[in-house]
Amino acid sequence: MTNVSIIVLDFGSQYTQLIARRLREQEIYCEILPYYTKAEDIKKKNPKGVILSGGPSSVYDKDAYEVDQEVYNLGLPILGICYGMQRIAVDFGGSVVRSDHHEYGKAELHIIQPDNPIFKDCEDNRIVWMSHSDRVEELPQGFEAIAVSDNSPYAAIANVEKNIYAFQFHPEVNHSEEGYLMLRNFARNICGVDEKWKMEHFLKEQIKLIREKVGDGKVLCGLSGGVDSSVVAAMLYEAIGDQLVPVFVDNGLLRKGEREQVEQVFKINLKVPLVVADAREKFLSRLAGVTDPEQKRKIIGHTFIEVFEEEAKKHDGIKFLAQGTLYPDVIESISVNGPSEVIKSHHNVGGLPDWMDFELIEPLRELFKDEVRKIGLELGLPESMVNRHPFPGPGLAIRIMGEVNQADLDLLREADVILLDELKASGYYTKTWQAFAVLMNVKSVGVMGDNRTYDNTVAIRVVEAVDGMTATFAHLPHDLLERISRRIINEVDGINRVVYDISSKPPATIEWE
């Protein structure tokens, strides 16, 4: 397990994961734990500092989230953000009240203690992002203001003697212009974190841990064709060689040409023996008549595991199942990090069914997508695979609104490949995080030649992101959008209308289902 430098206690903020992102970008390793984590459990991880995240609640709510008071006695530097600041204020004897003016959005930060180490290299009067309705009215004894904003006389406070700092604003969001510097200063200057967390160190450590855990057993690794599972397979092959049984399941929900591309990379480029399980009929028969997106995901997840188990029975000595679970999958799927709300289930999160006699191996569970790409390059995977856009485990099933059937899958594949081809030709594929087509199963009237049509609508989704936790729609040139639309309508029989999705995450998710 990676040595933890900073622990982030999650009080339910939508931005909690961004705290981890900003620190990792500064080569500082941290973990997110639930707000109720006991001080003794934090101490076991031997961190050098603790951050209390923001949250949607008020410290005076009947069921307000509280930190274990012993956390304050660990002798570790502490940084509170928004709710975390209010929690600190109340816990140390100060007071918090409902603000007359809800402060949401950009504010100018006026630093009144520029020599404070948390503001090292920070300029005065820079923009920060506020998001609060409560405010600290009276400071606890020993605390003082170190920065203010027009509406917040206590925009940042500190008790230097106790090494406790707190911000009313969110330094972790991009809108806070020098927030990343403040987080780095807290970790480096105040907590004394000097270790630099790098991907090559993580890779070597994981390979060692995999070898120790697997011993002389065998590992079944499910390949979806995406970056995550491909990196897991390459990592396992590096660690245990022929003890790996990599299985690529053709579930009938893949993009056009996907199976052939995966076979080439693993069998030809990496020389990794690949088992291909053709389960198209099984998946499609079980999805027949199913329209609910959560039900689709669960059916696909259960069927994947079943196919893997069937394949495992053909090989002696398999004791482990490997998956490409990432940190955002964990965060969005199960509320392990405190009170954060579950967004959607992932087919590869939450452990194995009781009837499966495998131990789970998830070497990427601590990583974000961009970190996984770096690991892939370290392992020698081709850039064309490492830099592929994310592709969901349930595949095209969650990009078809309503029932999944062969005819709609064929229709969607043709539209999707046109979109990707045009993005690659224009250079926008590498400039964007994810792009795909969605078959809406909404028909509308159109005209082709002299004939009236009543055909399907495709929605195009192209987003920009760093790690997929937040995303904005890509501002593609109009002539590119026009070319994509014209080609899809002209070349794909059954589609007569193309629309472009201009929603961002949040409030929307990246995928439609």
Side-chain angles (χ1 to χ4, degrees):
M1 182 62 64
T2 304
N3 291 327
V4 181
S5 295
I6 303 292
I7 292 289
V8 180
L9 294 182
D10 178 23
F11 286 88
S13 169
Q14 62 180 317
Y15 303 131
T16 299
Q17 295 78 37
L18 291 179
I19 302 172
R21 288 291 312 129
R22 296 297 167 258
L23 288 169
R24 290 190 187 188
E25 286 166 3
Q26 302 295 322
E27 298 181 335
I28 299 161
Y29 185 72
C30 65
E31 283 187 9
I32 300 173
L33 298 175
Y35 69 92
Y36 50 77
T37 303
K38 295 296 183 184
E40 60 194 62
D41 294 324
I42 293 173
K43 189 175 182 179
K44 290 174 184 175
K45 291 182 174 286
N46 198 30
K48 294 189 175 180
V50 175
I51 295 177
L52 311 184
S53 84
S57 304
S58 168
V59 289
Y60 290 128
D61 285 348
K62 181 181 178 182
D63 299 318
Y65 301 136
E66 296 185 2
V67 66
D68 178 4
Q69 296 298 298
E70 287 302 311
V71 169
Y72 297 126
N73 297 323
L74 290 174
L76 297 172
I78 294 173
L79 171 65
I81 296 173
C82 200
Y83 181 90
M85 173 182 184
Q86 295 153 20
R87 184 76 268 163
I88 288 170
V90 170
D91 289 345
F92 281 87
S95 64
V96 172
V97 297
R98 182 71 64 178
S99 177
D100 293 335
H101 302 284
H102 293 194
E103 198 171 10
Y104 180 83
K106 295 178 180 179
E108 205 171 78
L109 188 71
H110 308 295
I111 299 173
I112 57 179
Q113 281 195 11
D115 293 333
N116 193 293
I118 206 160
F119 293 135
K120 185 178 185 295
D121 298 327
C122 294
E123 294 183 19
D124 197 13
N125 301 326
R126 298 304 295 270
I127 295 299
V128 295
W129 186 261
M130 295 283 187
S131 180
H132 66 96
S133 54
D134 290 353
R135 64 175 175 81
V136 175
E137 183 180 51
E138 184 180 345
L139 289 181
Q141 185 175 356
F143 285 78
E144 59 183 340
I146 58 175
V148 301
S149 72
D150 291 341
N151 289 326
S152 296
Y154 304 127
I157 63 174
N159 184 323
V160 176
E161 183 181 345
K162 292 182 179 293
N163 247 352
I164 298 177
Y165 293 77
F167 296 152
Q168 184 60 76
F169 57 91
H170 288 273
E172 68 272 26
V173 302
N174 283 329
H175 300 300
S176 293
E177 293 176 335
E178 294 185 333
Y180 72 96
L181 270 178
M182 298 171 199
L183 289 171
R184 183 184 71 186
N185 287 338
F186 173 71
R188 298 285 188 209
N189 300 339
I190 295 167
C191 299
V193 176
D194 51 17
E195 300 93 343
K196 291 196 173 182
W197 187 64
K198 296 182 180 293
M199 284 298 102
E200 57 263 33
H201 300 156
F202 177 86
L203 177 58
K204 289 177 182 177
E205 183 179 23
Q206 285 300 315
I207 287 175
K208 179 184 175 185
L209 290 172
I210 289 168
R211 286 171 179 160
E212 290 174 355
K213 182 172 184 175
V214 172
D216 59 359
K218 289 185 179 179
V219 181
L220 185 71
C221 178
L223 274 164
S224 68
V227 177
D228 310 333
S229 62
S230 299
V231 169
V232 168
M235 183 186 293
L236 285 163
Y237 195 69
E238 177 81 13
I240 58 174
D242 292 340
Q243 290 170 256
L244 171 68
V245 181
V247 177
F248 177 71
V249 177
D250 185 348
N251 58 9
L253 307 170
L254 305 172
R255 289 168 289 195
K256 188 174 183 179
E258 186 118 37
R259 175 171 170 172
E260 294 76 13
Q261 291 169 15
V262 173
E263 286 184 297
Q264 178 173 348
V265 167
F266 280 89
K267 288 184 176 179
I268 300 174
N269 293 33
L270 297 179
K271 311 298 183 188
V272 175
L274 183 66
V275 177
V276 178
D278 192 333
R280 288 175 290 183
E281 187 176 334
K282 179 175 289 189
F283 277 87
L284 292 183
S285 64
R286 292 183 180 179
L287 288 168
V290 178
T291 59
D292 179 73
E294 276 297 289
Q295 191 63 21
K296 288 183 194 176
R297 286 177 176 271
K298 287 173 181 174
I299 289 170
I300 292 166
H302 292 154
T303 308
F304 260 121
I305 299 245
E306 188 179 314
V307 172
F308 291 148
E309 191 194 33
E310 291 172 359
E311 193 58 44
K313 290 176 181 176
K314 301 175 186 177
H315 305 270
D316 294 331
I318 290 184
K319 299 177 181 178
F320 304 91
L321 177 67
Q323 294 186 157
T325 308
L326 302 192
Y327 209 12
D329 298 338
V330 176
I331 291 164
E332 288 192 339
S333 299
I334 48 180
S335 194
V336 295
N337 300 314
S340 303
E341 185 173 346
V342 173
I343 307 299
K344 59 191 175 185
S345 65
H346 286 261
H347 75 284
N348 60 340
V349 176
L352 299 175
D354 293 338
W355 48 267
M356 285 199 73
D357 192 24
F358 295 146
E359 285 188 59
L360 204 54
I361 291 180
E362 297 173 309
L364 306 181
R365 194 179 176 92
E366 301 172 5
L367 302 184
F368 291 90
K369 178 74 75 172
D370 57 316
E371 295 169 330
V372 173
R373 295 191 198 280
K374 292 176 184 176
I375 291 284
L377 293 174
E378 288 280 337
L379 288 164
L381 284 169
E383 283 195 31
S384 59
M385 170 165 277
V386 170
N387 293 323
R388 290 180 75 186
H389 285 184
F391 187 63
L396 298 181
I398 58 170
R399 294 177 179 175
I400 293 176
M401 301 296 100
E403 181 184 359
V404 178
N405 57 62
Q406 191 63 58
D408 282 353
L409 285 165
D410 291 341
L411 203 65
L412 181 57
R413 282 192 187 98
E414 294 304 322
D416 194 67
V417 77
I418 289 172
L419 167 65
L420 298 181
D421 284 349
E422 287 296 334
L423 289 176
K424 289 173 182 175
S426 64
Y428 273 88
Y429 185 86
T430 56
K431 296 176 184 177
T432 53
W433 170 263
Q434 194 168 356
F436 54 90
V438 177
L439 189 65
M440 297 178 64
N441 270 319
V442 173
K443 292 191 174 183
S444 62
V445 174
V447 178
M448 290 189 181
D450 294 325
N451 298 319
R452 176 187 183 276
T453 61
Y454 188 61
D455 285 332
N456 224 315
T457 302
V458 159
I460 299 301
R461 179 77 158 141
V462 186
V463 298
E464 297 173 351
V466 174
D467 49 41
M469 297 305 300
T470 59
T472 57
F473 71 90
H475 292 249
L476 299 181
H478 287 182
D479 60 340
L480 175 57
L481 287 171
E482 182 181 17
R483 191 158 62 249
I484 291 167
S485 174
R486 184 174 62 247
R487 281 197 59 194
I488 290 174
I489 292 170
N490 287 345
E491 297 175 30
V492 184
D493 290 337
I495 296 174
N496 70 351
R497 192 177 297 271
V498 175
V499 297
Y500 188 53
D501 182 348
I502 58 169
S503 51
S504 295
K505 176 186 179 181
T509 54
I510 294 178
E511 295 287 346
W512 275 41
E513 288 194 345

